[in-house]
Amino acid sequence: MEPITGQEVNHSISLFDQLQSNEHEQIVVCSDKDTGLKAIIGIHDTTLGPALGGTRMWPYTSDQEALRDVLRLSKGMTYKASVAGLNLGGGKAVIIGDPRKDKSEAFFRTYGRFIEGLAGRYITAEDVSIGLKEIEQIRMETQYVTGIPESVGGSGDPSPVTAYGTYMGMKACAKKMYGSDDLSGKEVAVQGAGNVSWYLIKHLTESGAKVYVSDIYDDKIKQVTDHFDVKVVDPDDIYDVNADIFSPCALGGIINDKTIPKLKCDIVAGAANNQLDDEHTHGRKLISSGIMYAPDYVINAGGLINVANELEGYNAERALTQASRIYDKIVEVMDYATENDMPPYEASNELAENRIKAISKIKGIYASSSP
Ligand code: NAD
């Protein structure tokens, strides 16, 4: 299986060829004329368990663009769940629509009925433009939904767990790079002052790190500066900060041809999804620039760990304990990368695939020994 990040879907090849080229199991196209619902559910791989991944609502300009996104994102979830050691497969869904105009209770309840029809092969959660309100509406029609509000027994905001996992992963990087995971005195440049960053900066400042932060909104910066002693940097200047660690916690694609030459850090370790503009090119460019990269889906798996916990009855302490194991996982990825002379992103992809292969063999044994 080749990761498909950054790879275009070829419009001239058939739907089945598109699915088979990255070993997707199933695509479910959902359409409802009355509510205007148009959704695609992508189930990439269920070897480890039901496919879990959020639903994203976006005004895609074509069905192909939506299909491309759901194929890419659902495959990414397979890798994230596998490396995190969860008994979950990879899935994701996209709704084609304008989040400001097309939302209604009937719309999301209709969507929930489609999910229920999959009988647990796909479990949904929040993603871009899908928040707690929509999740509650989907939940009226299906039990296969997670990331529900704390008020109804759910796990609520995953950001604290994501931030804790990211912090532990950052410490693991420091251990590999400097021989000690003590971050006191280390300088960390955090891009974005949103939900994850707030908690991450709390951990960093408490551990004695010196933090630089940037955001495009002043109110977001203020939420951080009201609580923590940090240095504010212009959004365009965050790449140039002479810090030990650069922590992308805002956007994807920010490690690219333009930004890599600016970086002065030893380590890139942050919570943002899809940080490498092109996995292959920029993963290798970081190596040749002497920069250690913590694969994004390994270090930011705390959010997934949090919602996965809810499926077993949510326990915040257990979720944090599981997220703390991201430390060991990052060490394992870095060691595997060194032993096999490959960039860390490739190492984590291989580790994810190896686990799926190993578990599929066990399942084969079950299948052949059962009556
Ligand atoms: P958020 O929306 O709360 O924060 C993102 C922040 O980035 C916002 O304050 C935004 O203004 C800022 N921003 C946008 N463009 C910027 C730019 N060019 N320069 C500086 N700042 C900019 O989101 P979040 O929940 O904190 O998530 C942050 C990242 O982590 C996202 O990429 C998200 O996909 C990823 N992630 C989040 C979780 C989670 O649990 N929330 C889990 C896994 C991954």
Side-chain angles (χ1 to χ4, degrees):
M1 288 192 285
E2 278 300 304
I4 56 173
T5 317
Q7 185 184 317
E8 292 294 329
V9 167
N10 183 340
H11 293 198
S12 63
I13 64 171
S14 82
L15 177 61
F16 284 107
D17 286 346
Q18 288 187 42
L19 300 194
Q20 282 170 12
S21 65
N22 281 286
E23 298 177 31
H24 286 81
E25 289 179 12
Q26 188 179 8
I27 288 290
V28 182
V29 179
C30 317
S31 170
D32 180 68
K33 207 174 166 196
D34 291 341
T35 58
L37 174 74
K38 286 185 196 168
I40 310 176
I41 299 170
I43 297 178
H44 177 254
D45 190 295
T46 57
T47 307
L48 299 175
L52 173 60
T55 298
R56 174 171 297 195
M57 186 169 186
W58 196 254
Y60 293 102
T61 51
S62 69
D63 299 350
Q64 270 300 332
E65 194 193 340
L67 178 62
R68 174 184 182 268
D69 216 23
V70 82
L71 292 176
R72 180 179 67 86
L73 295 167
S74 58
K75 182 166 180 172
M77 292 307 294
T78 297
Y79 282 75
K80 188 183 268 203
S82 177
V83 170
L86 297 168
N87 286 329
L88 290 167
K92 200 91 179 183
V94 296
I95 294 178
I96 303 168
D98 185 338
R100 284 158 303 173
K101 290 190 201 144
D102 300 332
K103 288 183 176 180
S104 71
E105 181 187 343
F107 185 95
F108 285 106
R109 290 183 70 161
T110 303
Y111 174 58
R113 293 173 75 112
F114 279 105
I115 296 174
E116 183 66 15
L118 289 169
R121 272 178 61 71
Y122 170 66
I123 302 168
T124 200
E126 292 176 18
D127 199 77
V128 176
S129 302
I130 302 294
L132 290 180
K133 186 177 168 197
E134 292 76 26
I135 288 293
E136 283 194 73
Q137 290 167 345
I138 293 168
R139 188 166 162 263
M140 288 178 191
E141 300 294 338
T142 181
Q143 56 185 305
Y144 303 115
V145 57
T146 184
I148 59 176
E150 275 173 300
S151 56
V152 286
S155 56
D157 178 13
S159 305
V161 180
T162 304
Y164 185 58
T166 305
Y167 169 68
M168 294 304 286
M170 201 181 272
K171 279 171 74 71
C173 290
K175 175 83 180 163
K176 298 304 289 178
M177 177 63 74
Y178 307 117
S180 162
D181 65 12
D182 185 358
L183 295 179
S184 66
K186 291 281 180 264
E187 304 201 356
V188 185
V190 181
Q191 182 178 47
N195 293 327
V196 175
S197 295
W198 195 94
Y199 292 100
L200 176 64
I201 290 169
K202 183 171 192 291
H203 291 300
L204 289 171
T205 49
E206 281 172 1
S207 65
K210 181 174 178 192
V211 175
Y212 298 82
V213 67
S214 72
D215 201 287
I216 48 172
Y217 295 115
D218 292 343
D219 59 324
K220 290 286 178 183
I221 288 289
K222 189 169 180 309
Q223 281 170 12
V224 168
T225 52
D226 277 352
H227 292 88
F228 311 111
D229 182 16
V230 296
K231 194 166 179 346
V232 178
V233 178
D234 194 79
D236 290 337
D237 296 337
I238 194 78
Y239 306 102
D240 302 282
V241 173
N242 200 359
D244 302 294
I245 302 171
F246 172 53
S247 185
C249 294
L251 308 167
I254 43 79
I255 304 292
N256 54 43
D257 289 340
K258 280 191 188 151
T259 57
I260 292 175
K262 296 183 183 184
L263 295 177
K264 296 175 182 64
C265 58
D266 301 319
I267 296 166
V268 173
N273 282 311
N274 305 320
Q275 291 168 30
L276 302 176
D277 191 29
D278 179 90
E279 197 174 61
H280 186 76
T281 311
H282 302 116
R284 283 175 187 275
K285 256 194 181 165
L286 283 177
I287 293 264
S288 57
S289 309
I291 298 172
M292 175 185 279
Y293 169 67
D296 45 17
Y297 69 84
V298 182
I299 196 167
N300 74 13
L304 178 62
I305 289 169
N306 200 51
V307 290
N309 247 271
E310 192 179 305
L311 300 171
E312 298 161 22
Y314 188 63
N315 177 322
E317 206 176 311
R318 185 181 59 200
L320 282 170
T321 303
Q322 285 179 3
S324 72
R325 296 185 193 131
I326 289 175
Y327 184 109
D328 297 332
K329 191 52 72 177
I330 289 287
V331 170
E332 186 185 343
V333 167
M334 296 306 172
D335 287 346
Y336 192 91
T338 308
E339 282 158 22
N340 295 285
D341 195 22
M342 56 174 60
Y345 80 87
E346 235 175 81
S348 55
N349 289 347
E350 271 202 22
L351 286 168
E353 289 166 9
N354 291 348
R355 177 166 177 245
I356 294 169
K357 274 186 214 143
I359 301 304
S360 71
K361 279 191 189 147
I362 298 177
K363 291 199 170 171
I365 292 165
Y366 275 133
S368 58
S369 61
S370 58

